[in-house]
Amino acid sequence: MPLPDSKTETLQGRIDRIERGTAMPLWSQVKATLTTLIREDGLKEHDRLPSENELCKSFGVSRTVIREALSQMVNEGLIYRLQGKGAFVRGRRDEQNFVGTTMGFSGEMAEKKQDVTRRILRQEVTHPTPRISRMLRIDPTHPIVVVDRVMSVESVPRMIVRWAMLQESVPGLERIQLENRSLYDTINRQFGVRLVRADRWIEAVSLSVADAELLGVEAGKAALKVESVCVNEDGHPIEYYVATFLTDRSRLHLSVSSVG
């Protein structure tokens, strides 16, 4: 949502304190003013800050100064940017536990009473890539169902999930509308699929141009890639996915038990 009028007035009042000709750089003064507005004057999570042009006019400084101030605030986790939409106040990062369990992302968000929306990019029966074939230990001609989607929390894009499962485990899933329902709830209730164990690998990546566009951020932004293989009650690997996850909007939580 845009900055409330009362906060705009507060911002204007603080701008009068910007001092030129001091040792403190202008971008640092701009950053300090906006930071105070967020921390002390009650801006809410996802409030939109004024545009760069508006900030330039209000502060009487160049776009370079404003961009440096905003970049520093992004780095410190105070705000986030959505491509073509502007800069927004970022709240406390949520802890995500789905990576350490067989619970789906939607299920975890539902428990936290957060609204999840799904944008389906691809949903069809196809043959596995060499990587999927190897990870699921299947022949390259073995049919699988793939569902690629962008997951958003409270309308803010959070991650891209490229998911695949053996077709015989979920026959007909490719024809089910999934925009408004949890994938894991669907495969459990409708097909009786129960995933009991998962192996997962996590690595830092830079977003490609295509993925950055899907998530509404700049290309090259840091993200985490989670690769997963899940097995069923018979010990057979039947599910594979790769999730590309924005950690500036949340952080992953893993619980590890000691062995031996």
Side-chain angles (χ1 to χ4, degrees):
M1 62 180 66
L3 195 68
D5 290 340
S6 60
K7 301 305 180 186
T8 302
E9 294 173 2
T10 302
L11 171 62
Q12 191 60 55
R14 293 187 182 280
I15 288 173
D16 294 338
R17 304 180 198 176
I18 296 296
E19 299 180 8
R20 288 167 170 76
T22 67
M24 188 175 185
L26 290 178
W27 69 262
S28 185
Q29 295 186 57
V30 171
K31 171 179 170 290
T33 298
L34 294 176
T35 298
T36 299
L37 186 66
I38 291 171
R39 289 180 169 168
E40 297 181 9
D41 293 316
L43 283 191
K44 298 178 181 179
E45 182 177 2
H46 306 315
D47 275 349
R48 179 170 56 82
L49 296 180
S51 69
E52 289 185 3
N53 283 337
E54 292 170 333
L55 290 174
C56 287
K57 292 178 182 178
S58 295
F59 282 100
V61 296
S62 69
R63 186 179 292 261
T64 300
V65 171
I66 296 299
R67 286 181 173 173
E68 180 62 24
L70 295 179
S71 293
Q72 293 295 328
M73 294 175 72
V74 169
N75 292 338
E76 293 182 14
L78 293 169
I79 64 174
Y80 64 90
R81 283 169 163 166
L82 293 179
Q83 191 171 13
K85 296 182 180 180
F88 298 79
V89 178
R90 194 180 79 182
R92 182 183 61 83
R93 291 192 296 177
D94 295 326
E95 287 195 348
Q96 305 303 317
N97 299 294
F98 78 98
V99 172
T101 71
T102 56
M103 176 187 290
F105 181 78
S106 297
E108 183 187 342
M109 292 298 98
E111 286 191 352
K112 295 179 179 179
K113 301 187 183 305
Q114 292 184 298
D115 181 52
V116 176
T117 54
R118 308 157 190 83
R119 175 185 170 194
I120 305 298
L121 307 173
R122 180 188 181 203
Q123 184 177 348
E124 63 183 0
V125 176
T126 187
H127 292 141
T129 64
R131 178 68 174 175
I132 295 176
S133 178
R134 183 166 62 255
M135 298 298 277
L136 294 183
R137 305 174 200 163
I138 55 177
D139 186 271
T141 62
H142 196 117
I144 60 172
V145 178
V146 297
V147 181
D148 297 349
R149 60 207 191 278
V150 178
M151 311 290 288
S152 297
V153 178
E154 305 296 344
S155 300
V156 179
R158 184 72 61 84
M159 68 177 176
I160 304 166
V161 184
R162 295 178 171 93
W163 179 93
M165 182 168 281
L166 302 186
Q167 184 192 25
E168 62 265 29
S169 297
V170 285
L173 178 65
E174 70 278 4
R175 297 188 296 273
I176 295 176
Q177 294 294 320
L178 294 172
E179 285 85 356
N180 299 314
R181 60 197 301 180
S182 163
L183 175 61
Y184 284 92
D185 185 62
T186 299
I187 66 174
N188 178 262
R189 291 176 179 271
Q190 192 150 338
F191 301 100
V193 172
R194 182 168 178 265
L195 301 171
V196 299
R197 184 177 61 81
D199 288 311
R200 294 191 172 128
W201 299 264
I202 304 173
E203 65 176 310
V205 297
S206 296
L207 289 177
S208 66
V209 173
D211 283 357
E213 184 175 353
L214 289 172
L215 292 171
V217 297
E218 65 276 10
K221 185 178 180 63
L224 288 183
K225 185 177 80 171
V226 180
E227 186 178 34
S228 173
V229 175
C230 272
V231 303
N232 61 12
E233 293 174 294
D234 296 326
H236 298 143
I238 65 169
E239 182 210 46
Y240 174 87
Y241 73 70
V242 173
T244 304
F245 189 84
L246 286 176
T247 56
D248 65 343
R249 298 175 191 171
S250 56
R251 60 181 183 175
L252 301 181
H253 172 253
L254 298 176
S255 180
V256 181
S257 300
S258 60
V259 296

